[in-house]
Amino acid sequence: QLQLVESGGGLVQPGGSLRLSCAGFGFTMDNYAIAWFRQAPGKEREGVSCISSSGGSTNYADFVKGRSTISRDTAKNTVYLEMNNLRPEDTALYYCAPDLSRRFVLLGICTLNPNDYDWGDYGGQGTQVTVSS
């Protein structure tokens, strides 16, 4: 059974850093594009970053570009999102999603469009990031 488990969030001061983890169970994450999304109370879900199935292509939303790095650890079947210079506006619930349909595997890219990912009940509860002094 496919499961995704997010972790690594927490309370951090502005300017601080966090490394979020998205661990996969029941499937090989390397075969799929994986994206991070976030949603703050009262706001719509928005794409943060993604990594293609090959790992050769990444994509970042403008609001985290230059402050974040997405990566894979094949041995741990995990995708990481390292976030630096965090701002209060980064406060949100962060969660990951897979592109199980492998929509763009032949192109070797990934997107930040939630419609390009699968939102089944994979067990992940997300991980809360709170940036506050």
Side-chain angles (χ1 to χ4, degrees), residues 21-127:
S21 299
C22 171
F25 301 91
F27 75 117
T28 301
M29 294 181 81
D30 278 4
N31 293 335
Y32 306 95
I34 304 292
W36 281 95
F37 295 86
R38 72 183 189 184
Q39 189 165 19
K43 294 187 177 181
E44 292 188 355
R45 176 171 53 196
E46 55 185 356
V48 180
S49 182
C50 66
I51 187 166
S52 65
S53 59
S54 66
S57 177
T58 59
N59 203 352
Y60 298 91
D62 286 344
F63 53 78
V64 295
K65 199 168 292 183
R67 301 190 292 128
S68 296
T69 303
I70 191 169
S71 61
R72 292 183 181 271
D73 185 327
T74 299
K76 295 184 178 180
N77 208 34
T78 298
V79 171
Y80 299 102
L81 179 67
E82 182 169 350
M83 303 179 66
N84 302 305
N85 193 20
L86 284 161
R87 306 165 180 168
E89 53 264 39
D90 293 320
T91 296
L93 182 67
Y94 286 71
Y95 45 97
C96 55
D99 170 19
L100 298 179
S101 298
R102 308 184 79 204
R103 294 165 174 84
F104 301 107
V105 64
L106 294 181
L107 296 175
I109 64 171
C110 63
T111 78
L112 297 179
N113 184 345
N115 294 325
D116 292 334
Y117 294 86
D118 296 276
W119 300 97
D121 183 11
Y122 304 133
Q125 302 297 313
T127 187

Side-chain angles (χ1 to χ4, degrees), residues 2-17:
L2 190 154
Q3 284 189 304
L4 291 170
V5 179
E6 302 95 344
S7 62
L11 173 63
V12 63
Q13 293 187 341
S17 299

